[in-house]
Amino acid sequence: MAVQLDPQLLDILACPSDDHAALRPGTPDDPEADALTCTSCGRQYPVTDGIPVLLLDEATQPTDQQPAE
């Protein structure tokens, strides 16, 4: 199921990481996923029962990003 958020809310939501970039619905692999994806860092935040969970600890890192050494 695709994320159903008020467009005005989606306009003001931003990634909680230091870059504070805009979020877009879905993921790169699944545009219908219940998630929001950061347009800058690529972190994916789950949407649970219609509520975005914008916590860095709950975010999924993009699969193509290598961990810092």
Side-chain angles (χ1 to χ4, degrees):
M1 177 192 300
V3 174
Q4 298 292 323
L5 294 177
D6 184 304
Q8 289 179 329
L9 176 62
L10 195 55
D11 283 344
I12 59 175
L13 289 178
C15 180
S17 69
D18 292 336
D19 56 19
H20 304 295
L23 298 169
R24 62 178 167 76
T27 66
D29 297 334
D30 183 5
E32 298 294 315
D34 285 334
L36 295 173
T37 301
C38 177
T39 56
S40 178
C41 68
R43 285 184 180 93
Q44 299 167 8
Y45 298 92
V47 176
T48 306
D49 294 327
I51 301 170
V53 182
L54 299 179
L55 300 171
L56 289 173
D57 291 342
E58 297 291 325
T60 304
Q61 293 286 348
T63 55
D64 61 331
Q65 185 174 348
Q66 297 296 323
E69 293 182 19

